[in-house]
């Protein structure tokens, strides 16, 4: 199996949107999120309406606005996971931002247009990865041929050094090349050293992966300027063949991928199917009172408003129109209400869904039913060390009961409480791992009570541990 095939096999096999009905979209979401039927229906309709809009005549499609949604519910009930799974299902560029990040330093907080710039970067990376996977096999073949050229050339050089009167015969060279190819694929040549011409930046001390200490809206311009100054130059470097294969494969991928096409497609994907999840919207809800934090809150709302209602944002890849980007906002709204938002922003979120609080029965289902259920994760992790974990129905029920009880008596953090309970429950087994003589462990009600019931009963202790 090639490296490209391994990467493809590791990707989430979730089917794409295509012609799925809202009911089918809801069924896909059911595989990862328990309950929250109202929210799932609203999201399924929003994404289906996007597909319907794309089937309309261009002049009419331009006037159909996305059905932006506000999800109202406390932490841990599945708001972010719903939006993320919906984006993955529709193969859409997805970005999560916290509205409160734009208020930490008042009016000089983060530039809200950076939301669209970041979303565009994500879309470009998505397209680049998709194109790379398509040409991965060809890139690997090209890299293999270049390595073989180097190895055959080395052989010719050694032969000529021994005798200058005899030349290589092509059948022998061809036979030798195929023999080297087989050895290369079998990994027998991985440790052999070869010399390659590699590209090196003229400013090696500059690392553009780190943010520059400049204003947000000028950062991309500085990066482009410095990247232009750091023109690559060729140098010769010796490396192992296994490393050389990786380098040459990357180099061949760069040659085969058309970045101009990727950029055009990425901009179109952002405009037509981008999804932005704005969390903590309730923290910027508030009207202007003339003084205090409400001024900053309303200022942020007014800054976000143009992006949601539709504007043009300049990115380093080109101009992005935000008219048809789907915005999904979320917040607990314990202190404030959606009606505390400025009227213009309220009107841009026509769909509002109140999330359901999670019950003990929901916790039981969350532990077992989703494709990425916690129990399955722990079973798979410990199976790598030869351990078999078996959860009895009574054990699962007790875990759910204790997690729900801690939520009721301390701070309600929803399904995230299951993570802390499971970690405390399996800490000893995970620590000993392969050292355990007994390779099968049954997690029943008695085992759960033995490990964590005492912590749950001590409210002071559970606040710190669970």
């Amino acid at each position: 199996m090639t490296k490209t095939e391994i990467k493809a096999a590791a990707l989430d096999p979730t089917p794409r949107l295509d012609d799925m009905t809202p009911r089918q979209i809801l069924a896909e979401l059911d595989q990862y999120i328990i309950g929250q039927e109202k929210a799932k229906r609203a999201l399924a309709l929003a994404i289906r309406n996007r597909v319907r809009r794309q089937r309309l005549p261009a002049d009419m499609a331009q006037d159909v606005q996305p059905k932006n949604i506000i999800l109202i519910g406390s932490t841990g009930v599945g708001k972010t996971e719903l939006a993320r799974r919906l984006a993955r299902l529709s193969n859409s560029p997805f970005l999560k931002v916290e509205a409160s990040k734009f208020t930490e330093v008042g009016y000089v907080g983060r530039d809200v247009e950076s939301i669209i710039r970041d979303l565009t970067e994500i879309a470009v990376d998505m397209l680049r990865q998709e194109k790379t996977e398509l040409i991965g096999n060809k890139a690997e073949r090209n890299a293999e041929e270049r390595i073989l050229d180097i190895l055959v050339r080395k052989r010719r050089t050694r032969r000529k050094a021994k005798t200058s009167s005899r030349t290589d015969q092509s059948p022998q060279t061809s036979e030798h090349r195929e023999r080297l190819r087989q050895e290369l694929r079998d990994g027998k040549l991985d440790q052999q050293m070869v010399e390659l011409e590699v590209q090196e930046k003229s400013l090696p001390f500059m690392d553009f992966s780190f943010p520059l200490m400049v204003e947000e809206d000028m950062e991309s311009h500085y990066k482009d300027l410095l990247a232009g100054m750091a023109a690559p130059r060729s140098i010769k470097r010796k490396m192992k063949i296994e490393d050389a294969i990786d380098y040459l494969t990357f180099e061949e991928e760069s040659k085969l991928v058309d970045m101009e096409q990727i950029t055009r497609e990425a901009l179109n994907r952002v405009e037509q199917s981008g999804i932005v999840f704005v969390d903590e919207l309730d923290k910027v809800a508030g009207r202007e009172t003339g003084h205090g934090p409400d001024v900053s809150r309303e200022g942020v709302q007014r800054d976000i408003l143009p992006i949601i209602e539709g504007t043009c944002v300049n990115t380093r890849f080109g101009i992005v129109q935000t008219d048809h980007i789907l915005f999904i906002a979320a917040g607990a709204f314990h202190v404030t209400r959606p009606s505390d938002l400025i009227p213009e922003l309220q009107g841009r979120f026509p769909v509002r869904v109140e999330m359901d609080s999670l019950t003990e029965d929901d916790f039981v289902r969350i532990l077992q039913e989703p494709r990425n259920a916690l129990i399955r994760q722990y079973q798979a992790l410990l199976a790598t060390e030869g351990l078999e974990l078996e959860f009895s129905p009574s054990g699962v029920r007790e875990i759910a009961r204790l997690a729900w009880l801690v939520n009721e008596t301390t701070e309600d953090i929803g399904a995230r409480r299951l993570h802390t309970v499971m970690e405390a429950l399996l800490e000893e087994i995970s620590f000993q791992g392969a050292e355990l003589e007994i390779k099968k462990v049954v997690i029943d009600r008695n085992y759960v009570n033995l490990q964590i019931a005492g912590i749950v009963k001590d409210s002071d202790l559970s606040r710190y541990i669970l």
Side-chain angles (χ1 to χ4, degrees):
M1 181 179 289
T2 66
K3 293 179 181 178
T4 302
E5 290 171 337
I6 293 173
K7 290 178 184 177
L11 293 176
D12 192 343
T14 303
R16 300 308 179 191
L17 191 63
D18 296 328
D19 294 323
M20 295 173 65
T21 65
R23 192 180 303 277
Q24 291 172 323
I25 297 173
L26 192 148
E28 286 294 329
L29 295 175
D30 281 340
Q31 297 186 43
Y32 296 95
I33 295 97
I34 297 301
Q36 310 301 352
E37 296 302 316
K38 292 182 292 185
K40 290 176 188 173
R41 285 174 66 92
L43 292 171
L45 285 174
I47 208 69
R48 185 58 183 173
N49 281 333
R50 168 177 281 176
V51 175
R52 291 166 177 161
R53 185 188 68 82
Q54 293 172 354
R55 296 176 178 176
L56 294 174
D59 56 341
M60 182 177 292
Q62 189 64 29
D63 295 328
V64 177
Q65 299 298 316
K67 305 302 183 285
N68 297 325
I69 302 169
I70 295 182
L71 300 177
I72 304 169
S74 57
T75 183
V77 295
K79 301 187 297 294
T80 305
E81 186 67 11
L82 272 171
R84 183 178 289 114
R85 289 295 171 184
L86 188 71
R88 184 172 299 181
L89 179 63
S90 59
N91 197 27
S92 301
F94 174 81
L95 176 69
K96 177 188 175 183
V97 296
E98 288 80 30
S100 57
K101 292 295 183 183
F102 302 99
T103 63
E104 289 179 351
V105 283
Y107 286 111
V108 286
R110 287 195 68 196
D111 176 12
V112 293
E113 290 189 352
S114 66
I115 295 173
I116 307 303
R117 289 195 288 268
D118 292 344
L119 186 65
T120 307
E121 295 272 1
I122 291 170
V124 170
D125 289 341
M126 284 180 63
L127 265 297
R128 184 189 293 117
Q129 182 178 353
E130 291 175 11
K131 301 295 184 183
T132 300
E133 288 168 4
L134 290 176
I135 52 89
N137 289 334
K138 185 176 181 180
E140 289 179 2
R141 288 195 300 269
N142 291 350
E144 182 181 81
E145 294 300 328
R146 290 176 64 180
I147 286 291
L148 291 174
D149 288 342
I150 295 172
L151 294 175
V152 171
R153 191 159 52 246
K154 286 176 63 177
R155 173 180 178 271
R156 287 176 178 172
T157 302
R158 287 197 302 267
R159 287 174 63 90
K160 287 181 180 179
K162 292 180 179 179
T163 173
S164 59
S165 60
R166 189 176 63 185
T167 59
D168 289 337
Q169 300 178 8
S170 57
Q172 294 176 345
T173 303
S174 177
E175 181 182 343
H176 179 66
R177 187 183 184 91
E178 292 306 313
R179 186 165 63 251
L180 286 174
R181 187 191 306 277
Q182 190 58 47
E183 292 179 359
L184 184 64
R185 291 178 177 178
D186 292 340
K188 295 179 181 179
L189 306 178
D190 284 353
Q191 302 304 309
Q192 186 173 327
M193 303 297 291
V194 293
E195 189 175 68
L196 291 181
E197 280 196 2
V198 300
Q199 301 295 317
E200 186 179 68
K201 296 286 186 182
S202 60
L203 296 175
F205 57 89
M206 295 299 297
D207 185 353
F208 303 115
S209 63
F210 290 95
L212 300 174
M213 301 306 292
V214 296
E215 292 293 333
E216 181 93 29
D217 57 348
M218 298 181 65
E219 181 176 340
S220 61
H221 300 293
Y222 275 108
K223 284 186 176 181
D224 291 342
L225 177 61
L226 292 173
M229 293 170 58
R233 60 189 179 91
S234 296
I235 62 171
K236 289 188 176 181
R237 179 176 296 171
K238 287 188 176 181
M239 62 179 72
K240 295 179 180 178
I241 283 183
E242 60 178 347
D243 297 328
I245 284 285
D246 290 337
Y247 176 82
L248 291 177
T249 300
F250 174 78
E251 197 174 82
E252 289 297 322
E253 288 173 350
S254 300
K255 293 178 182 178
L256 294 170
V257 169
D258 185 350
M259 282 307 299
E260 289 187 6
Q261 180 187 6
I262 285 177
T263 299
R264 289 194 302 269
E265 293 183 15
L267 291 175
N268 181 68
R269 186 174 292 189
V270 169
E271 292 178 346
Q272 302 301 322
S273 62
I275 297 178
V276 175
F277 183 77
V278 184
D279 203 5
E280 300 180 349
L281 185 65
D282 56 319
K283 294 185 179 178
V284 299
R287 303 293 181 81
E288 185 173 341
T289 58
H291 63 278
D294 287 346
V295 178
S296 174
R297 291 172 182 171
E298 183 168 344
V300 171
Q301 293 180 59
R302 295 196 179 279
D303 284 345
I304 293 177
L305 180 61
I307 295 178
I308 297 178
E309 66 182 0
T311 188
C312 294
V313 177
N314 189 22
T315 74
R316 69 188 186 97
F317 299 103
I319 295 176
V320 175
Q321 290 185 328
T322 67
D323 300 67
H324 300 291
I325 295 176
L326 177 64
F327 287 85
I328 302 173
F333 288 98
H334 291 317
V335 179
T336 59
R337 296 168 296 175
S339 58
D340 291 327
L341 298 168
I342 60 176
E344 299 91 332
L345 194 59
Q346 291 183 48
R348 292 297 170 180
F349 287 93
V351 182
R352 299 172 192 176
V353 181
E354 187 170 356
M355 308 284 283
D356 301 321
S357 297
L358 297 176
T359 65
E360 181 181 326
D361 291 335
D362 290 330
F363 280 0
V364 172
R365 296 182 61 198
I366 290 170
L367 284 169
Q368 302 177 98
E369 295 182 17
R371 289 176 59 179
N372 59 341
L374 270 180
I375 285 179
R376 295 180 186 176
Q377 292 181 28
Y378 280 101
Q379 286 175 328
L381 285 171
L382 292 174
T384 61
E385 297 187 344
L387 295 177
E388 181 184 351
L389 276 184
E390 180 182 328
F391 288 80
S392 70
S394 65
V396 174
R397 171 61 67 174
E398 189 66 10
I399 294 170
R401 187 186 72 82
L402 293 177
W404 179 83
L405 182 61
V406 175
N407 271 351
E408 289 293 302
T409 55
T410 59
E411 189 73 23
D412 187 355
I413 60 173
R416 294 189 179 93
R417 185 70 68 187
L418 292 172
H419 290 266
T420 58
V421 171
M422 289 288 286
E423 277 296 316
L425 174 66
L426 300 175
E427 179 185 8
E428 187 64 25
I429 296 176
S430 296
F431 183 80
Q432 296 186 37
E435 300 174 358
L436 286 173
E437 295 182 1
I438 301 174
K439 297 302 181 182
K440 181 176 180 179
V441 180
V442 178
I443 309 296
D444 56 14
R445 182 175 182 177
N446 292 333
Y447 184 91
V448 174
N449 283 321
L450 180 65
Q451 296 294 323
I452 60 175
I455 300 175
V456 173
K457 291 178 181 177
D458 188 333
S459 59
D460 291 332
L461 191 58
S462 65
R463 288 179 183 274
Y464 291 97
I465 298 180
L466 300 179

